[in-house]
């Protein structure tokens, strides 16, 4: 469990470091990552993927906190996600809604934030340099290009929410793999060199 560094981990660390009391717009599973965090009298809004919270009443509650000087923290700004039912709107649309309405800019904790990639590397190995790490993801913008902007090597895998042609639309991944098995074979081949 301690070997997994997620945007939720980074967000909790951020909230704790600033002693924030957030309104948590998260699903129950993600709320576990914030156990013990003070949430009474919120002075911030944390937005993650939370379909059950993305309705007018809850968004308006967040909006009013933001207009009254609360800070806005985004777990990520993903455009869309892959679900069993196909593609669905991601967190980014709701974060952008709150940014627009409140005239506040969100502090983005997760991808594609450079800080997120650097924090993840530091957790893995404090001596690891960005150009020594390969980031593999199915989202060319948030995973691959975000990693490249942080100095990592970015690889796109044609699984998950990948759509045909993504590798040519927004920027150029360092590598493109058909699947995770192909990526693993590539990485193992690099280790032998």
């Amino acid at each position: 469990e301690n070997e997994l560094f997620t945007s939720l981990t980074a967000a909790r660390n951020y909230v704790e470091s600033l002693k924030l009391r957030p309104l948590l717009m998260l699903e129950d599973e993600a709320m576990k990552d914030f156990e013990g965090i003070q949430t009474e009298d919120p002075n911030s809004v944390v937005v993650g993927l939370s379909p059950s919270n993305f309705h007018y009443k809850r968004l308006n509650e967040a909006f009013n906190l933001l207009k009254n000087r609360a800070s806005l923290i985004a777990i990520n700004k993903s455009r869309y996600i892959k679900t069993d039912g196909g593609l669905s709107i991601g967190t980014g649309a709701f974060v952008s809604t709150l940014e627009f309405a409140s005239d506040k800019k969100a502090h983005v904790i997760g991808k594609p934030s450079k800080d997120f990639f650097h924090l993840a590397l530091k957790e893995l190995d404090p001596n690891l340099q960005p150009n020594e790490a390969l980031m593999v993801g199915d989202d060319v913008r948030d995973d691959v290009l975000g990693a490249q902007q942080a100095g990592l090597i970015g690889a796109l895998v044609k699984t998950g929410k990948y759509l045909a042609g993504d590798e040519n639309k927004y920027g150029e991944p360092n590598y493109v793999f058909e699947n995770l098995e192909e990526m693993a074979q590539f990485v193992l081949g690099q280790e032998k060199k």
Side-chain angles (χ1 to χ4, degrees):
E1 188 174 298
N2 291 338
E3 294 179 11
L4 190 60
F5 185 82
T6 69
S7 52
L8 289 169
T9 306
R12 182 195 172 97
N13 293 346
Y14 181 78
V15 165
E16 281 184 318
S17 72
L18 296 178
K19 296 179 177 35
L20 297 175
R21 300 177 312 278
L23 168 69
L24 296 168
M25 297 182 73
L26 305 169
E27 291 300 314
D28 290 342
E29 185 66 27
M31 293 290 268
K32 295 174 186 173
D33 287 278
F34 288 84
E35 284 180 1
I37 295 287
Q38 175 64 254
T39 58
E40 290 179 27
D41 189 28
N43 62 0
S44 60
V45 176
V46 173
V47 182
L49 183 61
S50 184
S52 67
N53 280 286
F54 297 149
H55 55 82
Y56 187 81
K57 184 177 180 183
R58 188 70 163 165
L59 287 167
N60 205 46
E61 179 183 2
F63 162 74
N64 278 292
L65 286 170
L66 295 169
K67 289 307 272 183
N68 286 305
R69 301 181 188 235
S71 56
L72 179 59
I73 300 152
I75 300 295
N76 63 59
K77 281 189 86 173
S78 61
R79 289 167 177 79
Y80 58 91
I81 60 167
K82 172 89 180 216
T83 65
D84 292 339
L87 297 179
S88 296
I89 295 173
T91 307
F94 300 98
V95 172
S96 293
T97 296
L98 290 169
E99 286 178 321
F100 177 78
S102 68
D103 290 319
K104 293 234 172 148
K105 186 86 174 137
H107 179 80
V108 181
I109 300 290
K111 298 179 291 186
S113 163
K114 288 181 186 180
D115 290 342
F116 174 74
F117 289 107
H118 292 158
L119 285 169
L121 287 178
K122 186 177 174 185
E123 287 287 318
L124 286 170
D125 179 347
N127 299 315
L128 188 62
Q129 296 302 306
N131 65 347
E132 300 172 323
L134 174 67
M135 165 59 191
V136 180
D138 63 357
D139 184 318
V140 72
R141 288 185 279 201
D142 291 348
D143 296 341
V144 179
L145 299 179
Q148 288 175 327
Q149 289 170 358
L152 285 75
I153 301 164
L156 179 66
V157 65
K158 294 181 176 182
T159 60
K161 69 180 188 178
Y162 166 82
L163 298 174
D166 276 354
E167 64 273 26
N168 301 315
K169 287 181 187 171
Y170 310 106
E172 190 173 324
N174 297 101
Y175 300 98
V176 178
F177 300 110
E178 291 298 319
N179 52 48
L180 290 174
E181 183 180 349
E182 183 181 19
M183 180 276 303
Q185 289 173 353
F186 170 79
V187 171
L188 292 173
Q190 294 298 308
E191 288 181 355
K192 292 178 183 175
K193 290 182 178 181

